[in-house]
Amino acid sequence: MSQHYYISPRFIDKLAVHITKNFLDIPHVRVPLILGIHGRKGEGKSFQCELVFERMGIEAVHMSSGELESPDAGDPARLIRLRYRETAEMIRVKGKMCVLMINDLDAGAGRFDERTQYTVNTQLVHGTLMNIADNPTNVQLPGSYDSQPIHRVPIIVTGNDFSTLYAPLTRDGRMSKFYWEPNREDRIGIVSGIFHGDGLSSGEIEQLIDTFDNQAIDFFSALRSRIYDEQIRKFIYDIGIDRVSSRVVNSKQGPPKFETPNFSISRLIEFGELIKAEQQRLELSGLAREYNQVPSLTSPASNTNTNTNSNSHIPTPDQPQANHKAPLSNPVISESTSPKVANGLNQCQIGQHNGSKKPLDLGLDLETQEQIGELLAQGYRLTLEYGNERRVKNNAWKSGNPLPENNVSEAIAALTERLGEHKGEYVRLIGIDTKAKRRVIEKIIQRP
């Protein structure tokens, strides 16, 4: 399988070192049992693992995130122990390297927000993996005890956001972390493997990558599959849509054969734009995000004449959210203008000019200044994130230093200064609840 596919040198190096080190007995060296491979969706983490396993002659026993929950308490934890012992037995019987691989661990065991149900099984899965990492040769099944040590089994886990896992599981003594983000050389190699035999030159491969430089690796695999749609559509209507089932399933004529389609670069770009448009329509719908919205943290502001309710903040489609973060279904500070700042904070505290109560004239709108006051008054930490257009599309924002916490005017002044330092970039205001360790607001306050 791997003869036409590209394996990243960085990827194979990380896996080979981790797996080999777990099969060696190095005196006075503590080797983490688990290797956590994380990164954004669709970058080929699992597939690269399979290629490395094949290259090294390693057998893998697989588990998926769907097996980490059950109606019966304790079942997933028992299954992990069972699969681990089975893998150890394979090593003993076959005399070759074997690994236990758990795909999308964060999807099955991660806690994304207050809506994610945190069950007994979730706790037991974390506890079991921690126990195995600490005692890799003494893994027992419930109800039985075997005093004979078993073989140590390296565990490979993949996921998008390991910050959603129980923190002690991811500590360095138990888990080595590897963030997989293919560079340009990796992308060229992987995409060349996807289109191997389709007649594309290296220059055309690079042109295709540059045209869709913000897309993940699975985009190009989907693009190649999309090229076959016309032939399949022609096949369906040639034989009749009512006869497709009998022709494709258990047909005496054998499976249908298709000619190699036209893989010209212009055609690939045309179909790529169609797939890209479908992605954008999905992002623009935002129905689930709106459906899951919860009320704002800001209490309804009132004055002597009116009572105004703060609206829930629903992020707009041009405010991308990090893939590794939960959707903003956490309570967030409203982006609607509050007629009065919470907790008695008035505009005198925000700034005065010649004795009159006016917001600081520092290029920030009144709404943002009021929100800063609200956030600081409630004890939240404020920081900024920056990014050019490409980083924003990839949800790869750069983090900045926190803003001053003691004085609203100082915070706004520091914010304005940093906006000037990052002209031509997107700037996002972040409010963090340090006690709950979660974000309460993400708001883009500057666009190029």
Side-chain angles (χ1 to χ4, degrees):
M1 177 181 71
S2 62
Q3 59 180 342
H4 298 316
Y5 290 107
Y6 172 88
I7 308 177
S8 166
R10 293 184 296 121
F11 205 102
I12 194 171
D13 175 80
K14 191 69 177 180
L15 257 71
V17 169
H18 176 81
I19 294 171
T20 304
K21 194 159 64 169
N22 270 279
F23 281 90
L24 298 175
D25 185 11
I26 307 174
H28 312 298
V29 174
R30 179 177 175 83
V31 179
L33 186 75
I34 305 172
L35 173 63
I37 304 171
H38 60 121
R40 73 170 186 155
K41 60 183 175 62
E43 295 290 16
K45 296 180 288 294
S46 299
F47 189 61
Q48 285 283 305
C49 286
E50 293 296 331
L51 295 177
V52 173
F53 296 156
E54 182 183 3
R55 177 81 172 272
M56 296 181 66
I58 294 172
E59 287 196 30
V61 174
H62 292 272
M63 287 189 68
S64 71
S65 60
E67 296 176 282
L68 302 181
E69 190 54 87
S70 168
D72 301 317
D75 271 4
R78 184 180 185 280
L79 181 61
I80 292 174
R81 292 177 176 273
L82 183 62
R83 294 275 172 84
Y84 185 90
R85 290 185 62 92
E86 288 175 353
T87 312
E89 183 66 10
M90 287 172 56
I91 296 172
R92 187 186 70 83
V93 173
K94 296 186 177 182
K96 62 187 297 186
M97 285 183 173
C98 301
V99 301
L100 175 62
M101 183 167 183
I102 306 176
N103 288 302
D104 305 310
L105 176 64
D106 56 332
R111 184 167 175 80
F112 292 89
D113 56 31
E114 73 277 0
R115 279 190 169 84
T116 305
Q117 187 175 10
Y118 199 73
T119 65
V120 171
N121 277 327
T122 311
Q123 294 175 319
L124 292 177
V125 164
H126 283 118
T128 298
L129 288 172
M130 290 164 57
N131 179 255
I132 293 175
D134 293 339
N135 303 282
T137 61
N138 183 21
V139 178
Q140 306 297 330
L141 292 176
S144 64
Y145 182 77
D146 182 5
S147 60
Q148 187 70 25
I150 63 175
H151 205 290
R152 183 185 180 101
V153 178
I155 300 177
I156 311 295
V157 299
T158 65
N160 299 119
D161 184 7
F162 285 164
S163 70
T164 63
L165 300 176
Y166 185 50
L169 173 63
T170 63
R171 71 175 177 84
D172 293 334
R174 294 183 175 126
M175 180 187 291
S176 294
K177 276 77 69 180
F178 174 46
Y179 183 75
W180 170 237
E181 182 179 25
N183 57 30
R184 180 175 172 80
E185 180 183 350
D186 293 329
R187 290 169 66 83
I188 291 173
I190 295 171
V191 175
S192 296
I194 292 173
F195 290 97
H196 176 81
D198 294 330
L200 290 177
S201 67
S202 58
E204 289 173 325
I205 292 291
E206 292 187 30
Q207 182 183 349
L208 187 63
I209 290 172
D210 291 338
T211 304
F212 303 105
D213 61 339
N214 293 319
Q215 296 294 337
I217 295 299
D218 63 354
F219 170 87
F220 299 98
S221 181
L223 174 57
R224 187 177 187 277
S225 173
R226 189 68 169 265
I227 296 292
Y228 280 87
D229 283 7
E230 287 187 359
Q231 289 194 47
I232 295 173
R233 186 177 296 108
K234 183 176 183 300
F235 163 77
I236 291 172
Y237 288 101
D238 282 350
I239 66 169
I241 199 165
D242 55 330
R243 298 178 55 210
V244 173
S245 178
S246 59
R247 175 64 184 85
V248 173
V249 181
N250 294 328
S251 173
K252 295 181 180 179
Q253 302 177 49
K257 296 181 179 179
F258 301 98
E259 297 179 358
T260 302
N262 174 16
F263 282 100
S264 66
I265 185 64
S266 59
R267 187 172 175 79
L268 287 169
I269 290 175
E270 177 188 351
F271 277 84
E273 292 294 345
L274 292 176
I275 298 175
K276 187 176 176 181
E278 291 170 357
Q279 293 175 346
Q280 293 171 344
R281 280 194 290 270
L282 181 65
E283 293 171 359
L284 287 171
S285 63
L287 295 178
R289 196 181 306 161
E290 181 175 353
Y291 178 81
N292 288 321
Q293 187 59 42
V294 297
S296 166
L297 280 177
T298 308
S299 301
S302 61
N303 55 29
T304 55
N305 297 321
T306 60
N307 291 324
T308 305
N309 291 326
S310 300
N311 297 324
S312 296
H313 166 60
I314 301 175
T316 56
D318 63 341
Q319 289 179 279
Q321 303 178 55
N323 291 337
H324 60 279
K325 292 292 178 187
L328 286 179
S329 55
N330 290 339
V332 294
I333 296 297
S334 169
E335 290 198 9
S336 60
T337 304
S338 303
K340 185 181 290 184
V341 179
N343 296 335
L345 183 70
N346 58 45
Q347 291 184 8
C348 286
Q349 293 173 284
I350 297 177
Q352 296 183 358
H353 181 67
N354 294 333
S356 61
K357 296 181 180 180
K358 293 182 181 179
L360 288 171
D361 186 14
L362 296 172
L364 289 175
D365 57 88
L366 175 60
E367 176 183 337
T368 301
Q369 294 185 34
E370 288 183 339
Q371 285 180 340
I372 291 172
E374 293 173 359
L375 291 163
L376 290 177
Q378 295 179 63
Y380 297 129
R381 178 182 297 171
L382 298 183
T383 185
L384 299 177
E385 291 182 341
Y386 316 99
N388 56 25
E389 185 173 355
R390 179 173 179 177
R391 279 188 168 273
V392 170
K393 287 182 178 178
N394 286 332
N395 294 316
W397 296 78
K398 293 182 180 178
S399 298
N401 294 324
L403 297 175
E405 300 180 18
N406 298 327
N407 185 285
V408 180
S409 299
E410 290 179 6
I412 294 176
L415 170 59
T416 307
E417 182 179 352
R418 294 180 196 177
L419 289 177
E421 294 172 356
H422 292 273
K423 285 184 178 178
E425 289 185 289
Y426 287 90
V427 179
R428 183 163 68 171
L429 177 66
I430 305 296
I432 300 172
D433 184 342
T434 55
K435 293 182 180 179
K437 294 183 179 179
R438 63 183 176 88
R439 297 185 175 196
V440 295
I441 186 174
E442 291 180 349
K443 177 183 179 182
I444 295 179
I445 58 175
Q446 175 173 290
R447 290 180 171 83

